[in-house]
Amino acid sequence: MEEKIIKMLQEINEDIIDYQGENMLADDLIDSFGIIQIIANLEDAFDIEIDAADVTTENFGNKNKIFGFIKSLITE
Amino acid sequence: MNYISLSFAIFLISLLTVYALTPNQHKWKVLLLFSIIFYAMSGLDKLLFILGTSLIVDAAALRMDKIWTEFDNACGEEQLQASTKRELKKKYAKRSRQILSIALFLCIGILFWCKYGVKTVSFINRTAGTSLTAKIIVPLGISYYTFSSIGYLLDVYWRKVCPSSSYPRLLLCMIYFPHIAEGPISRYNRLLPQLDTLTFPSYTRFTYGLQLMLWGCFKKMVIADRLAIFVNNVFNDIEANEGLIFPIALIFGAFQMYTDFSGCMDIVTGISDILGIQLDKNFQHPFFSQSAAEFWRRWHITLGTWFKDYVYIPITTSSFMRRLRKLSSKKFGDKGSKYMLTTVPTMTVWLLTGIWHGTGKNYIVWGLYWGILIVSGELLSDKLNILSERLHINTNRMEWRVFRTLRTFTLYAIGGLALFPKNLEASLLVAKRIFSTFNIWIFWDQSLYSHGLDRRNFILAVLSILFLLLADAAAERVNVREKIAKRNIVIRWCIYYIGILAVLIFGIYGPGYDPQAFVYQQF
């Protein structure tokens, strides 16, 4: 799962992989087009549905947060 | 009450005096009282509208929170299986959504009636042959506080924030006088905690706030109001003008809009800084942007983030969009899905942004113009990158960045074609008359100075724009306020006095002068 997500993030911006901060949206690593692309790719790859309510810094702040969030959706 | 007026100065001094003398824990009550007075001065009937909206928002937020608490209790009472919990959540979400829908319908309905009431009534009269009349009241800042309220309601519905348990505090967030007239579109969950930590204005807070207010006054009175004279003169009599005068008016118009709006933001942010409440940033030197998308991340930031959080993302994650993506993926492959994903939410947001700015067709055209620019910038970015490589363009070079910055500014100025003339027909007439002649001689035959600004004022306008760009360029690199604060007292106060004198000497005043209302107040 993590490999798949890393590949997706790399396609948007390679810097996301090394990013150590808490909010990659605020730190301009990813723009609005990037975030919706990631959401769409995640939904297609893992056959999940992501709600607007879930698009938060807590879930999409960095790659580890995305791993955790997707894991929680898959195991739910 | 205009933020630049004697009555507002008296209002502000009275507020600061009472505010400073009031114990910290009661300071928010002073702000609420003065904000109500500020609002009531725009009309008591208008005050009723905002009070009504605030009651709807408060009641709906608390009700939704209660429903979610019931859900938590239901989950907590017994260990539920994931599927059962999911079903239970759906049930409670439905109940919560019903409350949300009613509140949104009322808030948006009031906004729609105030903005489109006249057009709706005249449409009914035209189609049904009736002669209905309607007295439409447009409450001060209705677009701003309605948007903030919708955001608050959605955040409570999504459980991103806890609602305020105190109605007066929520009302203060809504009616807070520095942001009510022209924004920024505040997030109440960022304002509410600040009401608990209000303190006596320190020297630093006071001087920082005054600095920003002074800079805002300079932008508004020296630049924006001066440029407005020229811009209004040119666009109020389109038939009398032709050729290059219009591009000059469009360039001036671009700077007028920027200095008018960001000047107001500086004034209100400065006031709020003194009071100890940090407002959200609305501008980040947009004229240094290198693309249309970047420009709108730096211009009216709070409107952009509002649309992103409450329209763009919800559309993207909607079941409608999922179906559309799958359908276009089947027919056109991955590219089709990407095109759909990029185009539909962005064009919807920009259509709504246009409608938010005004009721005329020209605003819809203006919104679509930006939507198309941003979408095409995104969809063509890969191809443009390949083209740059083939043409051996070093995209990191200063010249290339300057070119892109100028291109973005030009696109913004061209967009003014839809905004400054009175309607779409007038916009088309301007576009036609730009190319009717190449009258370069206006630069030396003095005719340039016959549009409300004499030679001295025209040169002053150009010089102040250059000064603005220099100041913005400096602010891109360093914190100018801190730099000034670090200077010794003589230099510091020299800067302040020069600023005050510049506003007093070069500001637009004089007998019969009516201070220009802030442009974004009309939205």
Side-chain angles (χ1 to χ4, degrees), chain A residues 33 36 43-44 50 53 76, chain B residues 86 312 316-317 322 325 342:
Chain A
F33 288 120
I36 60 168
E43 286 192 346
D44 293 345
I50 297 170
E76 204 176 71
Chain B
R86 214 165 30 237
Y312 187 76
T316 310
T317 53
R322 271 184 211 114
R325 256 190 323 110
T342 309

Side-chain angles (χ1 to χ4, degrees), chain B residues 204 208 211 480-488 492 496:
Chain B
T204 312
Y208 268 37
Q211 268 179 40
V480 178
R481 285 162 96 180
E482 279 180 12
K483 279 267 173 198
I484 293 173
K486 277 180 189 161
R487 299 280 173 180
N488 69 51
R492 216 164 54 226
Y496 298 158

Side-chain angles (χ1 to χ4, degrees), chain B residues 3 27 98 110 139 183 226 230 261 285 320 340 369 427 519:
Chain B
Y3 289 124
K27 281 191 180 352
Q98 284 168 347
I110 294 170
R226 180 165 275 105
F230 186 92
F261 192 14
H285 319 122
F320 163 75
M340 210 48 88
Y369 165 78
S427 300
V519 176

Side-chain angles (χ1 to χ4, degrees), chain B residues 151-215:
Chain B
Y152 175 70
L153 287 168
L154 282 166
D155 282 342
V156 173
Y157 168 69
W158 286 329
R159 308 195 77 184
K160 285 184 179 177
V161 304
C162 289
S164 167
S165 54
S166 152
Y167 168 71
R169 282 171 184 250
L170 179 69
L171 177 62
L172 172 57
C173 290
M174 201 180 278
I175 204 170
Y176 183 48
F177 76 94
H179 75 176
I180 190 66
E182 212 168 316
I185 299 170
S186 300
R187 305 289 172 109
Y188 298 157
N189 62 310
R190 282 207 279 270
L191 292 183
L192 283 164
Q194 297 189 62
L195 303 183
D196 295 322
T197 54
L198 298 175
T199 53
F200 186 84
S202 65
Y203 174 78
T204 312
R205 235 167 68 191
F206 197 73
T207 50
Y208 268 37
L210 283 181
Q211 268 179 40
L212 204 52
M213 287 170 70
L214 184 60
W215 180 230

Side-chain angles (χ1 to χ4, degrees), chain B residues 224-279:
Chain B
D225 286 357
R226 180 165 275 105
L227 296 176
I229 296 170
F230 186 92
V231 174
N232 293 341
N233 183 295
V234 170
F235 288 112
N236 283 345
D237 196 359
I238 295 166
E239 295 281 1
N241 296 299
E242 58 183 353
L244 286 174
I245 203 73
F246 287 115
I248 295 168
L250 286 173
I251 293 169
F252 273 16
F255 281 105
Q256 182 211 339
M257 292 294 271
Y258 173 53
T259 47
D260 190 286
F261 192 14
S262 72
C264 178
M265 287 305 102
D266 289 343
I267 293 169
V268 298
T269 308
I271 294 168
S272 204
D273 280 355
I274 294 172
L275 297 169
I277 294 180
Q278 207 177 4
L279 293 177

